[in-house]
Amino acid sequence: MTSTDDTTHQALLRRGFTLEYITLGWNVVGIVVLAITAITAKSVALAGFGLDSLIEIGASTVVIWELSGTGEDRQRRALRLIGIGFALLAVYLLVQSTWVLTTAFHPEHSPLGIAWTAITAVVMFTLAYGKARTGAALGNPVLTTEGRVTLIDGLLAAAVLLGLILNTAIGWWWADPAAGYVLVYYAVREVKEIFFGDH
């Protein structure tokens, strides 16, 4: 590796660390905001989104650990840990969506929840794009895969946002859990790719 290549590699690594630290910080703040909004609105969707933030914190921590070292064995272990995170997310979405639909649970309106999920969707989509590009440039499947966790976090934020808006505007309380089933499919597909795909 030439000195120019090494400089580029180090710059990409720094960008990868920066993206993960931003993700960690955002989700730590998010857990506090979501706890407040979930209790205030009695919203299962917002409480569940807080759990998703915990999974994202775990995934980001795994990537920071992986970027700090080298070796295929370390990458394989990191990918498996992210795969477990996806599996937990799929189970959570399936259980939460089914419970909300079967109990016909109607949350209160949450202006703060709407504002937070709207901003979070934009932030997560931006971070996911950055991780995908940086992971591809580094040839790092762990960072690229965790970028898809961040993308799902953004999609889930958008789904929760849509559900909150539809509940507030026209009383469609079931819109959020219905969107959750779509995300279950995506999360299961990622689990299959991580554990059974070619890397």
Side-chain angles (χ1 to χ4, degrees):
M1 183 181 287
T2 67
S3 60
T4 303
D5 290 341
D6 187 55
T7 301
T8 302
H9 182 78
Q10 291 304 316
L12 288 168
L13 271 179
R14 282 194 299 274
R15 187 193 304 164
F17 278 116
T18 300
L19 289 165
E20 294 302 334
Y21 283 124
I22 290 170
T23 305
L24 270 174
W26 187 271
N27 282 293
V28 167
V29 173
I31 288 173
V32 176
V33 174
L34 290 164
I36 293 168
T37 57
I39 291 167
T40 303
K42 299 179 181 67
S43 169
V44 175
L46 287 168
F49 191 47
L51 176 59
D52 174 67
S53 294
L54 278 175
I55 292 170
E56 178 70 26
I57 287 170
S60 291
T61 304
V62 166
V63 175
I64 290 168
W65 168 75
E66 193 278 328
L67 289 175
S68 301
T70 57
E72 288 186 13
D73 184 56
R74 194 179 183 105
Q75 282 192 352
R76 277 194 299 273
R77 279 186 288 163
L79 280 172
R80 282 195 298 270
L81 288 171
I82 292 172
I84 291 168
F86 267 118
L88 291 172
L89 180 57
V91 170
Y92 145 66
L93 287 168
L94 184 62
V95 171
Q96 176 196 311
S97 296
T98 303
W99 186 80
V100 170
L101 283 173
T102 55
T103 60
F105 185 85
H106 291 63
E108 301 293 327
H109 304 316
S110 178
L112 178 58
I114 288 173
W116 180 259
T117 52
I119 297 167
T120 297
V122 173
V123 170
M124 291 301 122
F125 289 142
T126 303
L127 288 170
Y129 176 74
K131 291 175 187 182
R133 287 191 62 193
T134 306
L138 280 170
N140 187 307
V142 176
L143 181 56
T144 303
T145 299
E146 201 278 323
R148 293 197 293 269
V149 176
T150 306
L151 175 63
I152 285 184
D153 197 34
L155 290 170
L156 184 55
V160 172
L161 172 63
L162 180 61
L164 292 172
I165 290 172
L166 290 174
N167 179 50
T168 299
I170 52 180
W172 286 7
W173 58 270
W174 48 264
D176 173 58
Y181 286 120
V182 176
L183 297 177
V184 168
Y185 167 77
Y186 190 88
V188 169
R189 191 178 70 176
E190 289 301 323
V191 171
K192 287 174 66 177
E193 173 60 28
I194 288 169
F195 288 105
F196 305 108
D198 296 323
H199 300 290

